[in-house]
């Protein structure tokens, strides 16, 4: 008998804190498929991975209705491999126009529609990937999304500064949510731009207070990662 229900208990504890309308991505990077399976058996369907090879290796180990989210930095030369799996529900971490165009071209070639979020970079003290708020606004002001043929931009993803200063973290999340609102003002014909993906184990409650609709939680569900 399998008595280790740690993942289930942690998952249920996290879930009990999420208001209605906020979805949960269980960030399973660096954790073995057996642990993902425990989360799946407890009802979890969305899983987040940050490396193409690891994601592709886990796909056949999990049931077909698992919804895979890609959340890591995606190199243009890995787009083909990622999309060839035909199993990615959402690429959350599109951090440049060049990457977006590569995804669009490859999706068109495969005859699929890819769903993506644009990653915005607001945390100032770290070198992180993403559009700056200015680049983000410019993208929508210029209407560049209108030329996409096989890609649907479903919203925005971002991370707050890694600090104990909760006022700073809240301000970062507010800035991410503001970027989305501004885009809707700049491009009133934008449709289905609804997802605000922000919040991780240490800060998701602050993110929800600032309008997150999708939290990406790893450590609080699976425990610490062994890199
Ligand atoms: C790893 C990761 C997470 C999860 O972080 P935890 O602190 O373990 O909850 C969330 N988002 C992104 C983009 C990540 O890379």
């Amino acid at each position: 008998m399998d008595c280790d229900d740690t993942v289930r208990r942690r998952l249920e504890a996290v879930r009990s804190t999420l208001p209605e309308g906020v979805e949960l991505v269980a960030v399973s990077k660096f954790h073995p498929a057996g642990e993902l399976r425990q989360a799946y058996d407890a009802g979890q369907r969305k899983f987040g991975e940050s490396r193409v090879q690891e994601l592709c290796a886990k796909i056949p180990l999990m049931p077909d209705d698992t919804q895979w989210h890609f959340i890591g930095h995606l190199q243009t030369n890995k787009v083909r491999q990622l999309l060839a799996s035909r199993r990615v529900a959402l690429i959350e971490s599109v951090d440049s126009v060049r990457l977006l165009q590569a995804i669009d071209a490859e999706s068109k070639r495969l005859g699929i529609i890819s769903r993506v979020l644009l990653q915005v970079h607001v945390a100032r003290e770290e070198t992180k990937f993403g559009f700056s708020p200015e680049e983000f606004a410019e993208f929508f002001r210029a209407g560049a999304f209108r030329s996409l043929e096989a890609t649907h931009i479903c919203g925005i993803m971002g991370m707050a500064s890694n600090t104990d200063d909760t006022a700073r973290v809240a301000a970062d999340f507010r800035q991410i949510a503001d970027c989305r609102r501004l885009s809707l003002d700049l491009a009133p014909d934008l449709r289905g731009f609804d997802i605000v993906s922000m919040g991780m184990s240490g800060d998701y409650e602050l993110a929800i207070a600032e309008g997150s609709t999708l939290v990406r939680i790893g450590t609080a569900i699976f425990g610490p990662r062994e890199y």
Side-chain angles (χ1 to χ4, degrees), residues 28 31-34 36 49 51-63 68 70 81-82 85 87-88:
S28 48
H31 289 282
L36 280 69
E49 290 285 338
R51 298 182 301 175
V52 173
Q53 210 171 341
E54 184 176 351
L55 172 55
C56 290
K58 284 174 175 170
I59 286 172
L61 305 177
M62 290 290 286
W68 297 102
F70 191 81
Q81 191 190 352
L82 182 65
S85 73
R87 289 296 317 282
V88 183

Side-chain angles (χ1 to χ4, degrees), residues 69-183:
H69 286 211
F70 191 81
I71 63 168
H73 174 60
L74 179 57
Q75 287 168 308
T76 313
N77 63 9
K78 295 276 177 68
V79 167
R80 181 160 288 191
Q81 191 190 352
L82 182 65
L83 295 186
S85 73
R86 295 176 182 259
R87 289 296 317 282
V88 183
L90 187 65
I91 302 174
E92 297 202 20
S93 44
V94 174
D95 54 15
S96 71
V97 173
R98 188 167 154 263
L99 177 59
L100 181 63
Q101 286 169 343
I103 290 169
D104 195 47
E106 186 62 16
S107 303
K108 195 178 162 197
R109 203 183 67 84
L110 290 169
I112 61 174
I113 302 288
S114 288
R115 298 171 70 247
V116 307
L117 305 181
L118 299 189
Q119 182 175 355
V120 70
H121 169 79
V122 299
R124 259 137 293 177
E125 85 274 21
E126 285 147 278
T127 49
K128 286 243 177 83
F129 296 104
F131 290 77
S132 70
E134 294 75 25
E135 289 166 340
F136 196 81
E138 188 46 41
F139 176 82
F140 288 101
R141 190 179 291 116
F145 62 92
R146 294 190 192 102
S147 61
L148 298 172
E149 294 182 65
T151 310
H152 182 199
I153 302 176
C154 303
I156 189 168
M157 186 272 252
M159 282 179 258
S161 304
N162 184 11
T163 168
D164 293 336
D165 179 354
T166 54
R168 173 64 189 281
V169 171
D172 286 350
F173 286 140
R174 198 168 314 133
Q175 194 181 1
I176 295 164
D178 283 345
C179 283
R180 173 177 171 274
R181 281 186 280 267
L182 179 64
S183 315

Side-chain angles (χ1 to χ4, degrees), residues 27 29 71 157 159 200-201 216-219 225:
V27 175
K29 62 189 186 195
I71 63 168
M157 186 272 252
M159 282 179 258
M200 325 202 311
S201 293
R216 309 175 309 271
I217 298 183
T219 309
R225 288 177 284 274

